[in-house]
Amino acid sequence: MYTSGTTGNPKGVQMSHGNLIATIAGGATPTASLAAYTTPGGRFLAYLPLAHIMELIIELSCLTTGMTVGYGGVGTILATSVKMLQTKKPQVGDAAAFKPTLFLAAPAVLDRIYAAVNGKINAAPKPIKAWFKAALADGAANFDKGVIGANPFLGLIFKPVAKLLGGKVRVIGTGSAPLGLEIRKFCMTAFKCPVIQGYGLTETCGATTIGLPTSFEHGVGPPQESACIRLRDWQEGNYLLADKDDPAIGMRRGEILIGGPTVCQGYLVDPADPDPEVVQKNKEDFVTLDGIRYFCTGDIGQVTSTGSIQIVDRKKDLVKLAHGEYIALSKIENVLKASRFVAVPLVHAKSSMAYCIALICPTPAVRELAKAAGLADGAPWTEVCASAAVAAKVLEDLKAAAKGKLNKFEMPTKCILVDDEFSVENEMMTAVRKLKRKPIADKHAAQIAAVYT
C-alpha cells in the first residue's frame, strides 16, 4: 500500500497478512475502544478508498465481527455533496439512506459539516439563530463536564443535522489528520454521540491508538493491544522525556515510536533500480530497541496521566522562523477553522521570514464582507477572492478566532483568498482530503510572492 505523498513521493509500504490480522485482533479484544460498536447488527458506511489504511482496517474489522457494510462515495455522502444529482423530490445522500451506526470520517468531512451548519445558522431568522447558539453553548459546557449533548429541549434543534448521517449513528471515529477541539464539541453536541480520534500510519497498519468513547480528553487515546509505543527525546524541537518533571508540562514528550506485530516489513525497493532515498528511509525509519522493532513516526506526542497519547507536533509539519521560533502548521490551521469565513485553510511559512501567512478557501459567508467592502451584489467569486479589502476583513476574523489560542509569532500576518477550493478533484488534496502542501504552494506561488515580502 502506498503512502499519501503529502510531503514527497509516495512510498510502497510492504505489509504482511500477519500485520493486518494483528491489527484486527487488537481491535476485537473486549477492552478495545470500538469493541462495543463493531458487533453483529451494526452498520458501517464505507466511502473512503480502500487504498487508505484506515478504511481497509475498519472494513475488515466490521466484516470480521458480522456488521453490515454499505458502500457509498466521497462525493455522495450528503444530499448536498458535489456529485449528487439535484432532483425533485431531493435525494438524501448515502449516509441518510443507509443509516450507519458507525461513521468514520477524515476531519475534513466533519469540518465541512461544521461549516455548512454554521452557514445555515448565520442565515437563519434571529429566533432560530439564538436557539442554535444556545444549544451549541450548552453542548460545549456539557462537554467540559463530561456529558454528551445539549439538554433535551435545546437539542431538538439538531434533529435535521443528525438526519444528515441517517439519525442512527452511535459513534463517530476520525483519523488521518488532527481534529479541532471546537469541531469535536460541535459534532458531539449535534449528533449526540461520542466522537473519538484514532492514530496510526500506513507503516503500522493504522489503528495504533484509538480514543475511548467514555473519555473527554482531547487526544488519540491509548495504544491498542496490538501495538506498543515509546517516546524518544527530540532535542531540536525541545521535546523531552524529562518534561514530565517540569511543573509547567508534567508529561513525557518526544517522537513517537510504534512497535509490535503491526509494523510493516519496510518500504518497497526496486532491485533493478533502487531509489537511494527509499533505501536510506528503510535504514533510518525502522529501529530495534530491547528486542522490539519500531517505526519512527516523525510525530511528536505526549502521554497524559490516563495513558492517552496526544499528538502535539510533527517534525515535517514544523517550520523554524527567521527569529528561531518553531511553528506547527496543522496546529494553526485547526485554530483558523473556527472562523465562519474559512472552508479550508493552509498555513505557509518560510524559514527566511519571521512570520507565516494563510491561504484560505472561503465559505459563501465571505460575500457579506464583500458587500461591506463596496463590491457589487453578485460580484464574480474570483473578484471577491481577489479583493485586498475582503482579505483584510477575513484576516481580522482569523485573529479574533485565534485570540488566546495562538502565540503572537504563530498568528498569520497576511491572508490570501483562494477562489478554487482545495479538493481531491483539482489534485490539491489526497483521496482522504489531506492537504498537498507543495502542489498548493507551487500553484499559488505568484500570490504568495506578492504578499510574502
Side-chain angles (χ1 to χ4, degrees):
M1 179 174 284
Y2 279 80
T3 60
S4 60
T6 54
T7 57
N9 291 328
K11 295 180 290 295
V13 177
Q14 300 180 104
M15 289 180 284
S16 69
H17 185 71
N19 292 146
L20 298 177
I21 292 300
T23 307
I24 294 166
T29 59
T31 56
S33 299
L34 287 175
Y37 301 96
T38 51
T39 55
R43 298 168 69 82
F44 173 67
L45 175 62
Y47 64 93
L48 294 172
L50 279 168
H52 187 264
I53 190 63
M54 181 170 69
E55 182 69 18
L56 177 64
I57 287 297
I58 195 69
E59 283 192 37
L60 291 175
S61 298
C62 289
L63 293 171
T64 300
T65 54
M67 290 180 67
T68 300
V69 177
Y71 288 88
V74 173
T76 55
I77 302 172
L78 308 177
T80 54
S81 294
V82 292
K83 293 186 179 179
M84 288 296 291
L85 180 66
Q86 300 305 313
T87 60
K88 294 184 180 179
K89 153 181 175 187
Q91 299 183 67
V92 296
D94 299 336
F98 183 66
K99 297 180 174 55
T101 58
L102 166 62
F103 186 72
L104 190 69
V109 174
L110 302 182
D111 292 343
R112 283 170 98 60
I113 293 173
Y114 175 76
V117 173
N118 249 353
K120 289 189 175 182
I121 291 173
N122 284 293
K126 283 186 178 180
I128 299 295
K129 187 187 295 187
W131 189 356
F132 257 115
K133 290 191 173 180
L136 283 173
D138 190 60
N142 281 344
F143 178 96
D144 294 336
K145 299 172 189 172
V147 176
I148 296 175
N151 76 56
F153 171 71
L154 290 174
L156 288 173
I157 196 76
F158 292 115
K159 272 197 170 183
V161 181
K163 284 182 179 178
L164 291 173
L165 299 184
K168 301 290 185 182
V169 174
R170 295 175 57 211
V171 65
I172 295 173
T174 182
S176 83
L179 177 69
L181 180 57
E182 293 304 313
I183 306 294
R184 186 183 181 206
K185 288 183 178 181
F186 163 80
C187 290
M188 287 179 68
T189 301
F191 297 105
K192 206 167 185 179
C193 71
V195 175
I196 59 176
Q197 295 186 78
Y199 168 70
L201 303 95
T202 309
E203 292 88 344
T204 63
C205 291
T208 297
T209 73
I210 302 179
L212 299 171
T214 54
S215 173
F216 288 77
E217 270 190 331
H218 197 58
V220 294
Q224 296 289 280
E225 290 192 27
S226 53
C228 58
I229 284 180
R230 69 189 293 165
L231 304 182
R232 70 176 176 187
D233 289 345
W234 185 40
Q235 299 283 355
E236 185 180 354
N238 200 30
Y239 291 102
L240 308 170
L241 298 180
D243 289 339
K244 183 178 185 295
D245 301 320
D246 182 340
I249 300 172
M251 287 181 276
R252 291 183 179 87
R253 304 194 301 175
E255 181 184 3
I256 296 173
L257 308 186
I258 298 172
T262 66
V263 177
C264 73
Q265 315 305 297
Y267 297 120
L268 178 67
V269 177
D270 183 352
D273 184 21
D275 183 335
E277 182 183 344
V278 177
V279 172
Q280 190 62 28
K281 293 287 282 182
N282 273 333
K283 292 179 181 177
E284 293 176 353
D285 289 1
F286 300 89
V287 297
T288 299
L289 302 171
D290 301 328
I292 298 175
R293 185 165 171 270
Y294 289 89
F295 173 67
C296 309
T297 68
D299 293 321
I300 308 302
Q302 60 190 24
V303 183
T304 70
S305 59
T306 64
S308 179
I309 304 295
Q310 294 177 328
I311 312 296
V312 293
D313 262 332
R314 176 160 172 77
K315 284 183 177 181
K316 293 177 182 176
D317 216 16
L318 221 57
V319 178
K320 188 178 184 180
L321 299 179
H323 292 165
E325 304 98 337
Y326 282 94
I327 61 169
L329 304 180
S330 58
K331 170 194 170 184
I332 301 171
E333 287 159 0
N334 270 331
V335 172
L336 300 186
K337 289 173 185 176
S339 167
R340 69 187 185 93
F341 300 115
V342 174
V344 184
L346 178 133
V347 175
H348 182 79
K350 296 179 181 178
S351 295
S352 59
M353 306 296 285
Y355 60 91
C356 61
I357 64 173
L359 282 73
I360 301 296
C361 301
T363 65
V366 83
R367 286 196 176 276
E368 300 169 21
L369 303 180
K371 188 174 181 180
L375 273 68
D377 281 346
W381 187 241
T382 52
E383 184 180 336
V384 171
C385 293
S387 168
V390 175
K393 289 182 179 295
V394 170
L395 185 60
E396 285 178 19
D397 196 72
L398 296 181
K399 289 180 177 178
K403 190 175 181 180
K405 299 174 184 175
L406 295 177
N407 294 311
K408 187 176 180 180
F409 64 83
E410 294 176 304
M411 184 63 215
T413 59
K414 297 186 181 180
C415 169
I416 295 168
L417 300 184
V418 177
D419 57 34
D420 183 20
E421 184 174 320
F422 308 140
S423 66
V424 178
E425 288 73 22
N426 62 22
E427 299 185 346
M428 296 296 104
M429 285 184 165
T430 68
V432 289
R433 301 188 63 81
K434 286 185 182 179
L435 294 168
K436 293 184 177 180
R437 296 188 183 277
K438 190 175 185 307
I440 290 171
D442 290 345
K443 181 177 180 180
H444 299 282
Q447 291 168 282
I448 291 171
V451 302
Y452 218 155
T453 54

